[in-house]
Amino acid sequence: MPPVIDHDLGWTLGMVFRAYVKTSDEVFTNVPGGARGYLVLTAAVNEDPIPIGALAQRLGIDKTVMTYVVDGLEEAGFVERRPCPGRDRRTKQVAGTTLGSQVWDATQARLRRGEDHVLAALDPAERETLRALLQRLAVDAQTHHPVHDACQLVEDLA
Amino acid sequence: MPPVIDHDLGWTLGMVFRAYVKTSDEVFTNVPGGARGYLVLTAAVNEDPIPIGALAQRLGIDKTVMTYVVDGLEEAGFVERRPCPGRDRRTKQVAGTTLGSQVWDATQARLRRGEDHVLAALDPAERETLRALLQRLAVDAQTHHPVHDACQLVEDLA
DNA sequence: TATTGTTATACTCTATAACTATA
DNA sequence: TATAGTTATAGAGTATAACAATA
């Protein structure tokens, strides 16, 4: 019998994702919150600051999780919470510090090697193709806010 | 500032993986063990039977998890544990039942629609490309047994 | 009353290790 | 003594809901 499993999207995605997570455990030892902390740090250092809640939604992180991820990064001195410029004093934004920027740069380099490890089976062109396709799916999933209305999906499947 | 996050492999993989998991929650309501149960069922129904432990390793599932996944499938009557043909009476293999086969067929169809949902942003050719690339990475990760020796990776990253 | 961010609780996973029966 | 499968325990992770401050 042929290896049916190899064609299963769930299996392939899961295997690749877990391989990435394993690698990231090694890469992100210096970043509180691991891969998720790195994600927040990336946004804080490189992107325009937005309210914490909005960032959580954008990254696909639960807002309660976001709180202690930011806690960890702030304790390490990589980011800091600031009041938002607007006049709504409830909102805070997360901004990267100089130290955070340096750490991010260094981690970037390590990450690239970690990713090479995961993508070792593909040549450079294929890696780019994969990245581009995944990016489109991810952005699509985020904008459509995945299957947030499960009802519609259930109908689709019926 | 540009959206740096969108280019992060960890973020894209995570988003797509979670979108898949969400969808699979809807698709696999009739399969004990969810996506993982379906994986085991797929192997049991379609592939040559191998010892439980070997199957666990092949699917990337922990052997203790495998036990209760198989428990669930067996209670539902979708698979059954059998002694292995060889003479080692410790090993058992998981074989799909007729009912299991029928359930698998039906679930297959639902799954395809669920996957279409996740891959909606890509055209048919792109979907095939993505599947093929992921498959190669997954098979590679499984054979190389991911980063099972983290030591070597740590060296690589140093 | 609704919303932002935080805290607290409970629950679900998963990883570890111990156990049994064979070898 | 080592291995296949199972069981039991504990720890990490996550989701839910309640909370304080502001709107």
Side-chain angles (χ1 to χ4, degrees):
Chain A
M1 296 193 186
V4 181
I5 293 290
D6 293 4
H7 302 295
D8 186 279
L9 180 63
W11 182 74
T12 58
L13 258 181
M15 287 296 290
V16 175
F17 183 67
R18 264 172 306 172
Y20 178 86
V21 169
K22 254 187 193 171
T23 296
S24 76
D25 283 345
E26 301 296 329
V27 171
F28 299 126
T29 45
N30 56 331
V31 181
R36 223 155 20 179
Y38 174 79
L39 223 52
V40 174
L41 180 61
T42 301
V45 166
N46 297 290
E47 301 195 356
D48 294 321
I50 55 176
I52 285 191
L55 182 58
Q57 194 175 5
R58 166 154 160 56
L59 299 181
I61 298 177
D62 188 271
K63 67 172 183 170
T64 68
V65 173
M66 178 61 92
T67 295
Y68 59 76
V69 169
V70 174
D71 282 350
L73 291 172
E74 196 168 34
E75 277 170 35
F78 298 171
V79 305
E80 46 184 39
R81 276 177 245 240
R82 292 185 196 157
C84 276
R87 57 181 64 88
D88 188 334
R89 279 175 304 181
R90 286 175 304 183
T91 62
K92 308 170 189 175
Q93 62 188 25
V94 185
T97 64
T98 311
L99 175 59
S101 237
Q102 292 166 353
V103 170
W104 185 80
D105 285 340
T107 308
Q108 256 285 65
R110 289 166 58 88
L111 176 59
R112 223 166 275 152
R113 270 174 288 187
E115 291 186 354
D116 285 346
H117 204 267
V118 174
L119 303 178
L122 306 182
D123 67 41
E126 290 168 332
R127 294 179 195 191
E128 267 321 297
T129 303
L130 179 70
R131 280 179 192 275
L133 293 175
L134 285 176
Q135 180 178 337
R136 279 172 51 199
L137 289 181
V139 171
D140 178 68
Q142 196 217 10
T143 51
H144 282 65
H145 254 300
V147 186
H148 69 299
D149 55 331
C151 308
Q152 192 219 324
L153 175 58
V154 172
E155 276 178 28
D156 288 2
L157 293 172
Chain B
M1 297 195 187
V4 181
I5 292 292
D6 292 4
H7 301 295
D8 186 279
L9 181 63
W11 181 73
T12 57
L13 258 181
M15 287 296 289
V16 175
F17 184 67
R18 265 171 306 172
Y20 178 86
V21 169
K22 252 186 194 171
T23 297
S24 76
D25 282 346
E26 299 297 330
V27 171
F28 297 127
T29 44
N30 57 332
V31 181
R36 221 153 25 178
Y38 174 78
L39 222 51
V40 173
L41 180 60
T42 301
V45 166
N46 297 290
E47 300 194 357
D48 294 320
I50 56 177
I52 284 190
L55 182 59
Q57 194 176 4
R58 168 154 160 57
L59 299 181
I61 299 176
D62 187 90
K63 67 172 184 170
T64 68
V65 173
M66 178 60 93
T67 295
Y68 59 76
V69 170
V70 173
D71 282 349
L73 292 172
E74 195 167 33
E75 276 170 37
F78 298 170
V79 305
E80 47 185 38
R81 277 178 245 241
R82 292 186 195 156
C84 276
R87 56 181 64 90
D88 187 334
R89 278 175 304 179
R90 287 175 304 184
T91 63
K92 307 170 191 174
Q93 63 187 27
V94 185
T97 63
T98 310
L99 175 60
S101 237
Q102 293 165 352
V103 170
W104 185 81
D105 286 338
T107 308
Q108 255 287 66
R110 289 167 57 91
L111 176 59
R112 224 167 275 152
R113 270 174 289 185
E115 290 186 353
D116 285 345
H117 204 267
V118 174
L119 304 179
L122 307 182
D123 67 40
E126 290 168 331
R127 293 179 196 192
E128 267 320 297
T129 302
L130 179 70
R131 281 177 191 276
L133 292 175
L134 285 176
Q135 180 178 338
R136 278 171 52 199
L137 289 180
V139 171
D140 177 68
Q142 195 217 10
T143 52
H144 282 66
H145 254 301
V147 187
H148 70 298
D149 55 330
C151 307
Q152 193 220 323
L153 175 59
V154 172
E155 276 178 27
D156 289 0
L157 293 173

